[in-house]
């Protein structure tokens, strides 16, 4: 399994030093990484870049991206991304969000779909659907490290790493990702109570792709989430857990290309 | 010099579990047994009051190691039932609390009922309190200081309500009744280990709380002294410094050693917590978090001679040499404490864990009596200038 090392640069976006991955040419695909950052996303980015221009920033506070004082919510992050869309003058964007990044994608799209053409939610979190006395998705902050891979992957071998051998840059990114996740998703854990009631504002074709073996956010959660977005389609990805873009990068990239790039892009009324 | 009787009010019957914090089911407790534990500890504090010792309470949550999740409860009881002891809580984890004004109200009431005997300790709290907190550890110290500022303003505002519109807390019409007994407010204590935190405590002239840091305590106190010197202030008095250690004392050295073996169960078990809860994100700096991802380090201190002692697993002899435990006859304990206090450059408040683990009520009562009658007077006679101001 490859490491986190995707070639990235630092760009000034919204007044912040932001780590950003750019690959390929064509229609812009804005990829919003999950709470574990860019780790494991290299093959997916490469596969996607065969079809499109992939733009993948590390969210403020994650990876090597700076965090603005006062940014404490996914809502704050969504406004940062609205600025980014304007600053980079991106149009007809295919917005792809994985897990925590899917929450963020929904927070953006419920504000405005003006610059967006398609939305893809990969094992997305962000809404509360189930009983109030238990969490809908697994609490990573209460999960022993030894169990994390089992919860996250179809094949836990995908996630196993020798932490003691990781280079400092990667450890630093991991530590920052973990801290930023706590900042944005500690409580309410991995959701915004307001988001569900705003999902009707997503007015672009939306595809939910869900790992068939997702033990972190079960498929039932994904189906419930999908049902709240008008016209959205739900599909499972075989051989994948919570991070289909890591376990099935080529298949996921191909499906996104077909869904979002293969046809003429038309906004729904 | 003051000595404070302290117990975590434990439930040691449940200590054999692999994790005794955060996720230990309370089914493991028999409330009838715990009721007796509470009564015994309160009686020990009443004896401490009678014999000239002071009193320390703390609080933790969801754990068998300290079954006091609300320090205000024993403080309230003791405020009424004791006559003279200072009532220290060390402390309130104010960064994890949602309601600092409620903290000010609790403190104010305890201060008034006790007729001005509250010592107001504020703590950041240990890492494994964070998983129980509504708020994460990210920015915890910012929140701590804002809560502190609000609590102090709430206590000292006596001319009607004010509004608080801060970064972390927002209130309308803050107006604390009763007015605090000690003017302008009860003494503030804060625990600290990082040099920057100690500097902030020193700048405000508060009492620095240190726990089980052994001979490394000298460095911690030196940070405080240096901060005062940098500010052009006189050297801080001994009453700005406090230290928590464990005391096992008996007329017979062998019996004291046996008690130490019982009490050390606290050290052996208190760090026992399921893995994900020990290193909550945001609690440690990114650099420290990186090291923790790589490998978990043992917590420890050093003896006077520089030998590393693992706080949680060290032998009794080593823990005594490290200044974490004070064990033996009254002569022994006096000697160990005197040497320790000289080494760290003076001490105003010794926080004595005089009850821990399975130590019986009768044994704890005897320990309190021996310390009050045979150790404290000698420490004060030795250093008459250090008597509490």
């Amino acid at each position: 399994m490859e490491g986190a090392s995707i070639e990235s640069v630092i760009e000034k976006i919204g007044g912040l030093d932001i780590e950003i991955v750019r690959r390929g040419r064509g229609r812009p695909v804005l990829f919003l990484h999950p709470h574990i950052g860019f780790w494991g996303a290299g093959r997916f980015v490469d596969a996607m870049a065969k079809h499109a221009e992939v733009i993948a920033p590390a969210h403020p506070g994650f990876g090597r991206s700076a965090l603005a004082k006062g940014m404490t919510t996914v809502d704050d992050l969504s406004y940062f991304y609205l600025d980014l869309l304007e600053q980079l003058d991106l149009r007809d964007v295919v917005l792809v969000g994985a897990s925590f990044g899917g929450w963020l994608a929904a927070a953006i799209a419920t504000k405005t779909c003006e610059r967006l053409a398609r939305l893809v939610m990969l094992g997305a979190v962000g809404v509360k659907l189930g009983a109030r006395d238990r969490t809908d998705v697994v609490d990573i902050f209460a999960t022993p490290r030894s169990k994390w891979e089992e919860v996250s992957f179809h094949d836990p071998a995908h996630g196993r790493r020798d932490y003691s051998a990781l280079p400092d840059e990667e450890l630093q990114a991991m530590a920052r990702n973990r801290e930023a996740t706590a900042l944005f998703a500690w409580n309410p854990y991995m959701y915004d109570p307001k988001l569900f009631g705003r999902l009707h504002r997503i007015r672009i074709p939306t595809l939910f792709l869900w790992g068939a073996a997702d033990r972190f956010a079960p498929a039932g959660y994904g189906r419930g989430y999908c049902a709240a977005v008008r016209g959205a389609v739900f599909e499972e990805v075989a051989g994948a857990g919570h991070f289909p873009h890591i376990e099935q990068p080529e298949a996921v990239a191909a499906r996104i290309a077909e869904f979002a790039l293969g046809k003429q892009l038309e906004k729904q009324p | 010099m003051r000595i404070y009787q302290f117990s975590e009010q434990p439930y040691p019957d449940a200590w054999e579990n692999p994790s005794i914090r955060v996720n230990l089911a309370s089914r493991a407790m028999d409330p009838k047994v715990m009721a007796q534990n509470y009564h015994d500890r309160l009686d020990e504090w009443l004896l401490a009051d009678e014999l000239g010792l002071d009193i320390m309470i703390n609080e933790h949550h969801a754990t068998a190691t300290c079954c006091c999740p609300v320090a205000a409860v024993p403080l309230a009881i003791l405020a009424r039932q004791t006559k003279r002891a200072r009532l220290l809580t060390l402390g309130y984890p104010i960064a994890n609390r949602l309601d600092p004004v409620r903290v000010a109200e609790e403190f104010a009431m305890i201060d008034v009922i006790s007729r001005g005997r509250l010592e107001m300790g504020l703590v950041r709290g240990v890492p494994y309190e964070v998983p129980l907190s509504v708020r994460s550890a990210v920015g915890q110290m910012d929140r701590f200081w804002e809560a502190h500022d609000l609590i102090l303003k709430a206590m000292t505002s006596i001319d009607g309500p004010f509004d608080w519109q801060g970064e972390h807390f927002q209130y309308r019409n803050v107006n604390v009744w009763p007015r605090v007994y000690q003017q302008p407010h009860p003494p503030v204590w804060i625990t600290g280990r990082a040099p920057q935190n100690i500097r902030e405590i020193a700048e405000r002239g508060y009492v620095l709380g240190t726990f089980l840091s052994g001979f490394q305590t000298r460095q911690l106190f030196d940070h405080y002294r240096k901060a005062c010197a940098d500010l052009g202030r006189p050297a801080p008095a001994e009453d700005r410094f406090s230290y928590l250690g464990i005391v096992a004392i008996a007329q017979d050295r062998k019996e004291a050693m046996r008690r130490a073996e019982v009490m050390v169960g606290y050290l052996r078990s208190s760090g026992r917590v399921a893995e994900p809860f020990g290193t909550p994100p945001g609690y440690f700096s990114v650099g420290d978090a990186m090291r923790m991802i790589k490998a978990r380090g043992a917590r420890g201190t050093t003896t006077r001679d520089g030998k590393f002692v693992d706080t949680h697993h060290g032998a009794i002899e080593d823990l005594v040499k490290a200044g974490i435990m004070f064990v033996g006859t009254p002569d022994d304990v006096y000697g160990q404490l005197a040497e320790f206090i000289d080494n760290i450059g003076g001490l105003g408040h010794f926080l004595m864990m005089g009850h821990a683990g399975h130590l019986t009520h009768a044994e704890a009562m005897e320990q309190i009596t021996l310390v009050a009658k045979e150790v404290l007077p000698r420490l004060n006679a030795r250093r008459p200038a250090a008597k509490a101001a």
Side-chain angles (χ1 to χ4, degrees):
Chain A
M1 190 69 209
E2 65 176 310
S5 43
I6 305 183
E7 199 181 312
S8 61
V9 294
I10 301 290
E11 291 181 23
K12 197 65 112 182
I13 298 174
L16 295 174
D17 284 334
I18 294 295
E19 178 183 12
I20 188 163
V21 174
R22 290 173 178 273
R23 285 276 198 300
R25 276 189 213 166
R27 190 174 294 283
V29 169
L30 180 59
F31 175 63
L32 304 182
H33 64 70
H35 48 280
I36 60 169
F38 288 143
W39 181 75
R43 273 172 64 195
F44 169 71
V45 169
D46 286 345
M48 203 71 249
K50 289 184 183 137
H51 307 282
E53 181 192 4
V54 178
I55 300 163
H59 315 318
F62 288 81
R64 293 192 287 140
S65 289
L67 178 70
K69 188 164 168 51
M71 264 188 182
T72 58
T73 63
V74 169
D75 214 36
D76 294 332
L77 291 180
S78 73
Y79 282 105
F80 165 83
Y81 274 101
L82 293 177
D83 287 347
L84 177 143
L85 289 167
E86 287 177 18
Q87 187 181 322
L88 302 183
D89 194 21
L90 302 178
R91 291 164 196 274
D92 286 331
V93 172
V94 179
L95 184 61
V96 180
S99 183
F100 174 86
W103 173 4
L104 181 48
I108 295 165
T110 50
K111 290 184 176 65
T112 172
C113 293
E114 196 188 337
R115 290 172 179 270
L116 308 179
R118 294 287 187 274
L119 174 62
V120 180
M121 305 279 269
L122 297 170
V125 297
V127 292
K128 174 67 191 172
L129 301 174
R132 67 181 181 182
D133 63 348
R134 51 170 307 195
T135 174
D136 289 358
V137 301
V138 169
D139 183 353
I140 42 165
F141 301 120
T143 304
R145 199 195 279 175
S146 57
K147 294 266 186 269
W148 181 80
E149 295 87 355
E150 269 172 53
V151 163
S152 302
F153 294 96
H154 165 77
D155 175 5
H158 262 110
R160 295 219 174 91
R161 276 180 289 178
D162 178 5
Y163 291 97
S164 62
L166 293 180
D168 275 358
E169 315 80 85
E170 204 161 326
L171 284 169
Q172 186 172 39
M174 281 182 74
R176 291 196 82 226
N177 292 345
R178 214 169 156 256
E179 185 170 318
T181 304
L183 173 65
F184 293 113
W186 180 263
N187 191 54
Y189 175 65
M190 287 287 178
Y191 75 96
D192 173 355
K194 301 283 188 190
L195 183 60
F196 186 84
R198 297 173 181 169
L199 291 177
H200 67 277
R201 291 182 45 81
I202 298 177
R203 292 172 182 138
I204 48 175
T206 299
L207 172 66
F208 279 73
L209 285 181
W210 221 265
D214 193 334
R215 286 178 285 267
F216 180 92
Y221 175 84
R223 288 182 190 280
Y225 201 162
C226 179
V229 178
R230 187 169 41 173
V233 176
F234 184 90
E235 292 173 13
E236 290 195 351
V237 179
H242 185 58
F243 302 112
H245 70 290
I246 297 177
E247 282 192 284
Q248 299 297 337
E250 286 81 15
V252 169
R255 182 66 190 101
I256 292 172
E258 183 189 15
F259 168 73
L261 308 168
K263 304 173 199 165
Q264 198 183 348
L265 297 172
E266 275 176 25
K267 292 198 183 185
Q268 283 186 338
Chain B
M1 172 88 182
R2 293 178 173 277
I3 296 183
Y4 298 66
Q5 163 63 12
F6 169 60
S7 167
E8 289 218 307
Q9 306 179 71
Y11 189 83
D13 293 350
W15 282 5
E16 291 314 310
N17 287 285
S19 173
I20 63 165
R21 294 181 186 269
V22 185
N23 60 352
L24 176 61
S26 64
R27 190 179 290 281
M29 173 183 281
D30 179 346
K32 294 191 183 73
V33 173
M34 194 63 222
Q36 190 58 47
N37 289 354
Y38 284 134
H39 284 250
D40 289 347
R41 303 296 85 79
L42 287 165
D43 287 343
E44 288 153 19
W45 279 314
L46 293 181
L47 179 67
D49 176 58
E50 212 174 285
L51 297 181
L53 299 186
D54 296 290
I55 290 170
M56 170 176 160
I57 309 282
N58 73 336
E59 79 172 51
H60 284 283
H61 302 85
T63 176
T65 193
C66 169
C67 298
C68 180
V70 189
V73 169
L75 283 171
I77 296 167
L78 293 166
R80 176 69 172 92
Q81 289 206 282
T82 58
K83 299 284 187 291
R84 47 144 299 281
R86 302 297 298 172
L87 303 175
L88 165 67
T89 174
L90 198 59
Y92 268 42
I94 56 170
N96 298 347
R97 283 282 172 84
L98 290 174
D99 191 347
V101 172
R102 168 76 181 214
V103 170
E105 289 173 332
E106 289 170 7
F107 278 158
M109 228 176 142
I110 291 160
D111 194 45
V112 173
I113 294 172
S114 68
R115 296 194 165 93
R117 290 185 285 124
L118 176 66
E119 300 279 336
M120 201 162 64
L122 311 176
V123 299
R124 182 185 185 194
V126 290
Y128 17 84
E129 291 288 316
V130 173
L132 303 160
S133 170
V134 164
R135 296 187 173 179
S136 83
V138 183
Q140 197 183 31
M141 283 316 289
D142 268 3
R143 207 160 63 231
F144 176 93
W145 285 115
E146 188 181 322
H148 158 275
D149 294 347
L150 171 53
I151 291 166
L152 271 285
K153 184 172 169 67
M155 279 186 158
T156 53
S157 295
I158 53 174
D159 296 313
F162 66 91
D163 293 340
W164 186 269
Q165 298 177 343
E167 188 183 340
H168 302 286
F169 302 102
Q170 299 81 30
Y171 282 86
R172 305 162 56 84
N173 294 319
V174 178
N175 190 11
V176 170
W177 281 69
R179 184 182 172 187
V180 286
Y181 197 95
Q182 299 179 83
Q183 297 293 322
H185 59 77
V188 178
W189 303 42
I190 296 179
T191 48
R193 207 152 181 164
Q196 179 53 32
N197 288 349
I198 293 174
R199 172 163 290 273
E200 289 176 298
I201 296 162
E203 280 170 3
R204 292 166 172 87
Y206 293 160
V207 181
L208 171 64
T210 62
F211 293 171
L212 304 170
S213 40
F215 283 94
Q216 288 178 353
T217 308
R218 164 117 220 168
Q219 295 166 26
L220 306 183
F221 289 2
D222 283 347
H223 290 309
Y224 193 113
R225 295 183 184 107
K226 182 168 184 307
C228 292
D230 291 348
L231 291 164
R233 295 184 192 162
E238 290 178 342
D239 72 356
R240 296 300 89 190
F241 299 112
S242 68
Y243 178 71
L244 185 141
I246 303 167
V247 171
I249 187 170
Q251 290 294 9
D252 171 65
R253 196 173 281 168
K254 247 171 100 179
E255 170 60 13
M257 199 61 182
R258 191 195 63 77
R259 288 180 186 177
E261 292 287 357
V262 172
M263 295 179 79
V264 82
Y266 159 72
L267 290 177
R268 305 276 190 255
S269 63
S270 74
R272 209 178 286 157
V273 59
E275 177 235 300
F277 305 120
T279 54
Y283 190 90
F284 302 96
S285 69
V286 167
D288 286 345
M290 285 166 64
R291 282 186 282 282
M292 286 171 190
I293 292 169
K294 266 191 160 168
R296 303 195 67 190
R299 278 209 311 188
T301 185
T302 47
T303 65
R304 210 178 143 181
D305 313 322
K307 181 184 161 193
F308 178 82
V309 178
D310 181 328
T311 315
H312 288 298
H313 303 99
I316 303 277
E317 292 78 3
D318 286 337
L319 292 166
V320 171
K321 279 185 200 153
I324 288 170
M325 295 188 81
F326 302 86
V327 179
T329 62
D331 275 353
D332 294 337
V333 170
Y334 163 74
Q336 290 160 16
L337 271 173
E339 188 197 347
F340 180 74
I341 290 166
D342 288 344
N343 184 279
I344 60 174
L347 185 71
H349 312 272
F350 179 59
L351 313 175
M352 173 180 79
M353 188 180 269
H355 170 275
H358 284 284
L359 198 75
T360 66
H361 177 49
E363 288 162 352
M365 296 290 269
E366 197 201 24
Q367 295 217 115
I368 289 164
T369 306
L370 288 173
V371 168
K373 293 194 167 163
E374 299 191 35
V375 177
L376 180 59
R378 288 176 68 186
L379 285 170
N380 275 335
R382 188 182 76 109
R383 307 176 67 86
K387 273 186 185 164

